[in-house]
Amino acid sequence: MAVAHIRTRLFGVTAASLLALSLAACGGSDSSNSSNSSDTAAAPAPSASEMTSSGTSGMDQPFGAACSAVPASGAGSFSGMAQDPVATAASNNPVLSTLVTAVKTAGLVDTLNGAKDVTVFAPTNDAFAKIPEAQLKAVLADKDMLTKILTYHVIGQKVTPEQLGTAGPFKSLQGGEVTVSGSGEDFTVNGDSKVVCGNVQTANATVYLVDTVLMPK
């Protein structure tokens, strides 16, 4: 009877030990799973920018130091200009007020607004300010000369920034050629006029603001 009693006690101890170990193991597994679940839930979702393809180019947007002078909102902003044909879009942008005056004087508003898929090198007010006042007044008074100068700034095709420095020279509506050198966000037109704000979109044109008025040969 003593032996049987000892065996019964040993069996009870062994069974209890095994049960305790089993419960501990299950508890550790649940804790680990809970921790992993918590870590997964805490992981932040990828942001929209992280989900954007790395192939997206920043050149899809306007570029250049003078772009900061363009209004941030309204009809003269980049988004506003994109809604209107090029002459109308320029008229809403204070950076191009002198150019707009010249276009109206030459009677080219309808011509530019009616053009399809063109590229315009648009001289800023500062570009016109480089011309001596007497000379500028003489040009504005000579409609034929003014028309030749303004149409020389217009290319009969849309030119992207990627094409700008490689696909030229470009034939202007005036008939002369316009040459562009450079790449990225650094372009020079005809050797001395710098693109100061490029890739501005209007309803019918791609516009590159330049710091010097281009003169046909």
Side-chain angles (χ1 to χ4, degrees):
M1 290 294 292
V3 173
H5 180 69
I6 293 171
R7 286 178 177 174
T8 299
R9 291 188 63 189
L10 285 173
F11 178 78
V13 171
T14 301
S17 299
L18 290 172
L19 180 60
L21 289 172
S22 178
L23 289 173
C26 289
S29 176
D30 290 345
S31 175
S32 176
N33 289 340
S34 176
S35 175
N36 289 340
S37 176
S38 176
D39 290 345
T40 301
S47 66
S49 60
E50 290 171 337
M51 294 176 69
T52 301
S53 169
S54 59
T56 300
S57 173
M59 295 296 283
D60 292 338
Q61 303 297 322
F63 62 86
C67 290
S68 61
V70 174
S73 61
S77 66
F78 293 130
S79 59
M81 291 179 71
Q83 307 305 312
D84 294 317
V86 63
T88 301
S91 70
N92 293 321
N93 193 321
V95 178
L96 301 174
S97 59
T98 306
L99 173 62
V100 171
T101 297
V103 168
K104 290 179 178 179
T105 300
L108 292 174
V109 171
D110 291 340
T111 299
L112 293 177
N113 278 348
K116 183 178 179 181
D117 295 335
V118 294
T119 295
V120 177
F121 295 102
T124 63
N125 295 341
D126 289 341
F128 280 100
K130 293 180 179 180
I131 302 175
E133 185 176 358
Q135 184 180 345
L136 180 58
K137 286 182 177 180
V139 170
L140 291 173
D142 187 334
K143 186 174 180 179
D144 183 59
M145 180 185 295
L146 181 61
T147 298
K148 288 179 179 178
I149 292 174
L150 293 177
T151 53
Y152 181 63
H153 289 75
V154 184
I155 308 301
Q157 67 186 79
K158 274 199 172 184
V159 181
T160 67
E162 290 78 11
Q163 298 170 324
L164 194 59
T166 59
F170 304 100
K171 187 174 182 178
S172 70
L173 296 189
Q174 179 266 344
E177 290 186 340
V178 178
T179 61
V180 184
S181 59
S183 61
E185 297 184 0
D186 184 13
F187 295 99
T188 302
V189 185
N190 285 358
D192 60 358
S193 184
K194 300 284 291 184
V195 172
V196 292
C197 182
N199 201 31
V200 178
Q201 299 300 315
T202 74
N204 67 328
T206 297
V207 180
Y208 296 90
L209 278 63
V210 294
D211 68 355
T212 304
V213 177
L214 308 179
M215 294 295 182
K217 296 180 180 179

